[in-house]
Amino acid sequence: MAKNIRLGTAEGVYVPTLLTILGVIMYLRLGWVVGNAGLLGALSIIAFAHLITFSTTLSMASMLTNIKVGEGGAYSIISQSLGLEMGGAIGIPLYFSQAISVAFYITGFTELWSFFFPTHPLVLIAFVTWGILAGLSMFSARLAFRVQYLVLAAVLMSILSFFAGSTLGEAGNELVGSFSTAGYWQTFAIFFPAVTGILTGASMSGELADPRKSIVRGTIAAVFTGFIMYGLMAWLFYLKAPSQELLENNLVILDLSYSRVPVIIGIMGAVLSSALSTLVSAPRTLAALAGNRSFPFYTFLSKKAINGEPKNAIIVSSVLSLAVLLAGNLDGLASLLTLFFLTTYAMINLVVFIEQITGIVSFRPSLNISMAIPVVGLAGCLFGMLLINTFFVVITFFVVAVIYYSLQKKRLASANGDVRGGIFYAIADWAAQKAMALPYHPKMWKPSVLIPVETPEDFKRITSFIKSLISPSGRVYYLTIGAECRGRERVQKVLEPLKEDGLFAHEVLIEGGSFSSDLSIVIQSLRSTFLPPNCIFFTISNEVEKQQRLKDVLNQSLLANMGILCLHLHPRNNLGQNRHIHLWLRDKSPNHDLAVLSAIQLSKNWNSRITLCRVVAQKNQIAQAEKELGLLIEDARLPVNTKIMVKTGEHEDIIQEISTDLHILGMPTNNSEVRIEYMQKTMNLVQSSVLFVADSGLECAIV
């Protein structure tokens, strides 16, 4: 087949999809369904099953009219909507289901063959059948699908023979059956696999001349045709044979037909057709997965021959189906494979539902459907899965989760984009509206730190400290103003360690301005956002220029009503072992809350011990101070290993004697010059790193 010759709607979608629907269930189980459930019961089962399938088909059709579908059919649809990771998590099990299903169909054909020709060796028949089908799929997809015209003719002849046949005994059916051999939902579960072939044509998307139109028209037409055929045949089974005969004889259709020969050919042809179409479509799914690096040996498997056939993927899929065929004992996998198909259908419905509720402008399909359609399809798929096997449902979701996690670590990139960002934006919009309607309360406080940075290298020195300060759910805003903002890639690189840990880290880069003139505008703008920073973090230096910047930061934080965190990293000891924190709390200090909250965050992430410290003027004040600090430990719910240290004397003399990893102290007054002088004096006294804090009034450590 030349590469530019593509399949049309009839041969590429309608015929293979219809033959998958009009398969073994129609011949060997539909009569039993009528005998067990009665005519009305059977029709309700047929209608409900097709409702699920038709809803999924409409969802898929709507999605296809909104995107340029690539190779892989359902895999392409899910990948373009929920990302390559979710596409692979669904596509890989779907591929194995397709490949292994070939063995199921060939096994079914072999068993039917042995029923009519009991002397023929089963293994030889299975191997010859596999060889013929594998050869057809490898030689040409067009030839394989044209063979199905002959199969379709055989199926139609068998149905006509059934229509023209006579009745068997006296009519004894009921409109509503007694469900003597299986309950309603058990009967539904047995019938449902008959309508799970709607992805057959979609999997050939890469071979279709116009996949968007062909998949939509061909699949809808096939599902509708199948619904009519099943309804008519159920009615004829009801009219032609008594219930007992329908229940006891799985091949009763042979006795009810005008001639057995066309029915036998139709049964075997339907089974072979399902095997052939699956053997043709499975390699296409595999090649599409490999093309996006979602499958091992992707370079080898994604390679195509001159005529466009994914030869390597066809060979691997054929060998896999043969291995499963020779292993035998396939019954145990039947439910699991069906669940993988249903999981794919459920995801298609979920994708359309998500696209609809998020209101993203890019979702404007030519075929608009009601939101109820994907909801019905999704609920029906999940319901059908639970009916088939609840245990295998758990296994299915586990397998999907494991594959998704594995692919997520590979950081796959797609040029088509997806709607995951839109999903989270929609959730954020909804949450923002709800949150903004509520008054602020200190219970809502969490560390949200704005950090003015000169160069990315400066930020690297404090990354570990910032991570400990905001984990697990705080936020950090990296702010650079002026010429320093050049090099966005360097900024993103230094923020990567925070983002990899799942922390909110956002860069704010202001080009062309100056720090002093633009800091006020930037802070005011950020304070007006939905998730504003609530405190400013700055490192202290002896450099004159940086001290002027610190003065600007202190002044702007007062105007913006933001907390202040100023860190002095000791040049020699740094943060020591991150094991001991001394929290200094003056009596009636206005900065207790932010100091306590900062100590809690750091001690939790460092697994360190807090010591509450206070200096009093006289010894008779020690007991009262210890009592007050003890109450604070209880009210603020500080760690149980928190200690108390109260001493008399001069604060400057005592603090320089204390050996610790970090001191936390409150800042005096609201005068920036006084604060800078105090911080400079303190950091020259101590032999440890110091975190100076000032409350904004929005924090509360005891709520």
Side-chain angles (χ1 to χ4, degrees), residues 113-303:
W113 186 278
S114 66
F115 178 82
F116 299 111
F117 307 99
T119 60
H120 294 182
L122 292 178
V123 176
L124 179 60
I125 297 302
F127 186 78
V128 170
T129 304
W130 171 85
I132 294 173
L133 297 179
L136 282 172
S137 66
M138 189 172 300
F139 182 73
S140 170
R142 177 175 289 273
L143 176 61
F145 277 81
R146 281 183 172 176
V147 168
Q148 293 188 105
Y149 281 116
L150 299 177
V151 178
L152 178 61
V155 170
L156 293 177
M157 289 297 296
S158 67
I159 293 174
L160 289 175
S161 179
F162 173 64
F163 284 0
S166 58
T167 59
L168 187 65
E170 296 182 2
N173 276 319
E174 300 176 348
L175 286 174
V176 179
S178 59
F179 296 96
S180 58
T181 57
Y184 184 87
W185 295 118
Q186 288 177 293
T187 308
F188 175 85
I190 292 171
F191 174 79
F192 190 74
V195 296
T196 58
I198 61 172
L199 295 183
T200 304
S203 298
M204 296 298 298
S205 56
E207 310 296 324
L208 298 173
D210 189 346
R212 178 179 290 184
K213 291 183 179 179
S214 292
I215 295 173
V216 172
R217 296 173 180 175
T219 306
I220 291 177
V223 171
F224 186 74
T225 304
F227 174 66
I228 297 298
M229 295 304 301
Y230 272 104
L232 287 174
M233 291 192 67
W235 178 62
L236 286 175
F237 274 120
Y238 167 77
L239 293 177
K240 288 190 171 189
S243 298
Q244 199 63 29
E245 185 68 24
L246 295 176
L247 291 172
E248 295 176 355
N249 185 3
N250 288 334
L251 288 172
V252 67
I253 190 172
L254 296 177
D255 300 326
L256 297 175
S257 299
Y258 180 81
S259 172
R260 289 190 170 199
V261 175
V263 177
I264 294 172
I265 296 174
I267 294 174
M268 292 186 173
V271 177
L272 283 180
S273 172
S274 298
L276 180 58
S277 60
T278 306
L279 193 54
V280 170
S281 59
R284 271 73 184 173
T285 302
L286 177 59
L289 285 163
N292 288 321
R293 301 191 301 113
S294 299
F295 205 89
F297 309 106
Y298 53 84
T299 303
F300 173 77
L301 293 173
S302 61
K303 189 175 181 180

Side-chain angles (χ1 to χ4, degrees), residues 155 157 190 222 324 507 642 677:
V155 170
M157 289 297 296
I190 292 171
V324 176
E507 63 269 19
T642 301
E677 181 181 352

Side-chain angles (χ1 to χ4, degrees), residues 497-530:
L498 298 175
K499 294 181 179 181
E500 287 179 350
D501 287 344
L503 298 173
F504 182 103
H506 181 65
E507 63 269 19
V508 182
L509 309 180
I510 308 299
E511 300 183 14
S514 65
F515 187 88
S516 299
S517 62
D518 290 351
L519 181 62
S520 173
I521 298 173
V522 173
I523 291 177
Q524 291 180 52
S525 299
L526 289 175
R527 291 290 291 168
S528 301
T529 60
F530 170 62

Side-chain angles (χ1 to χ4, degrees), residues 445-450 470 474-477 531-535 562:
W445 187 91
K446 66 170 62 176
S448 182
V449 186
L450 174 65
I470 68 172
R475 301 181 294 274
V476 60
Y477 294 86
L531 296 175
N534 51 34
C535 52
M562 296 176 68

Side-chain angles (χ1 to χ4, degrees), residues 30-51:
L30 184 57
W32 173 86
V33 171
V34 175
N36 186 56
L39 177 60
L40 295 181
L43 291 177
S44 69
I45 288 172
I46 294 169
F48 185 42
H50 278 84
L51 175 64

Side-chain angles (χ1 to χ4, degrees), residues 197-518:
I198 61 172
L199 295 183
T200 304
S203 298
M204 296 298 298
S205 56
E207 310 296 324
L208 298 173
D210 189 346
R212 178 179 290 184
K213 291 183 179 179
S214 292
I215 295 173
V216 172
R217 296 173 180 175
T219 306
I220 291 177
V223 171
F224 186 74
T225 304
F227 174 66
I228 297 298
M229 295 304 301
Y230 272 104
L232 287 174
M233 291 192 67
W235 178 62
L236 286 175
F237 274 120
Y238 167 77
L239 293 177
K240 288 190 171 189
S243 298
Q244 199 63 29
E245 185 68 24
L246 295 176
L247 291 172
E248 295 176 355
N249 185 3
N250 288 334
L251 288 172
V252 67
I253 190 172
L254 296 177
D255 300 326
L256 297 175
S257 299
Y258 180 81
S259 172
R260 289 190 170 199
V261 175
V263 177
I264 294 172
I265 296 174
I267 294 174
M268 292 186 173
V271 177
L272 283 180
S273 172
S274 298
L276 180 58
S277 60
T278 306
L279 193 54
V280 170
S281 59
R284 271 73 184 173
T285 302
L286 177 59
L289 285 163
N292 288 321
R293 301 191 301 113
S294 299
F295 205 89
F297 309 106
Y298 53 84
T299 303
F300 173 77
L301 293 173
S302 61
K303 189 175 181 180
K304 293 185 178 180
I306 298 176
N307 62 358
E309 295 284 345
K311 294 292 186 182
N312 294 338
I314 292 174
I315 293 172
V316 170
S317 301
S318 300
V319 171
L320 175 60
S321 63
L322 177 61
V324 176
L325 180 64
L326 296 178
N329 192 24
L330 305 176
D331 293 341
L333 291 174
S335 296
L336 184 59
L337 297 181
T338 300
L339 289 174
F340 281 136
F341 281 109
L342 286 175
T343 302
T344 306
Y345 301 163
M347 289 304 301
I348 292 173
N349 285 291
L350 179 62
V351 163
V352 176
F353 177 69
I354 289 173
E355 294 266 26
Q356 289 179 327
I357 63 172
T358 53
I360 299 174
V361 178
S362 63
F363 184 69
R364 46 183 189 277
S366 302
L367 177 62
N368 285 304
I369 59 175
S370 168
M371 190 177 293
I373 291 176
V375 170
V376 169
L378 176 61
C381 289
L382 295 176
F383 185 62
M385 293 169 70
L386 293 173
L387 284 175
I388 292 172
N389 193 312
T390 304
F391 174 71
F392 277 154
V393 170
V394 176
I395 294 179
T396 301
F397 289 155
F398 175 76
V399 170
V400 169
V402 169
I403 297 175
Y404 179 85
Y405 177 75
S406 300
L407 293 177
Q408 194 175 40
K409 293 194 296 183
K410 297 180 68 173
R411 301 192 177 190
L412 303 173
S414 172
N416 295 318
D418 54 68
V419 300
R420 288 177 294 180
I423 296 171
F424 292 117
Y425 272 118
I427 295 173
D429 286 343
W430 175 84
Q433 293 179 25
K434 298 297 181 183
M436 292 174 69
L438 299 173
Y440 175 81
H441 191 276
K443 281 187 176 182
M444 299 163 58
W445 187 91
K446 66 170 62 176
S448 182
V449 186
L450 174 65
I451 307 178
V453 183
E454 293 182 53
T455 66
E457 287 69 26
D458 291 336
F459 187 82
K460 282 183 180 180
R461 298 189 304 116
I462 60 173
T463 299
S464 177
F465 184 86
I466 294 299
K467 184 186 298 185
S468 300
L469 184 65
I470 68 172
S471 293
S473 59
R475 301 181 294 274
V476 60
Y477 294 86
Y478 177 112
L479 170 64
T480 296
I481 301 176
E484 295 90 349
C485 70
R486 289 174 295 182
R488 287 176 177 266
E489 291 183 0
R490 290 197 301 154
V491 173
Q492 293 173 357
K493 188 174 181 179
V494 297
L495 291 177
E496 193 64 29
L498 298 175
K499 294 181 179 181
E500 287 179 350
D501 287 344
L503 298 173
F504 182 103
H506 181 65
E507 63 269 19
V508 182
L509 309 180
I510 308 299
E511 300 183 14
S514 65
F515 187 88
S516 299
S517 62
D518 290 351

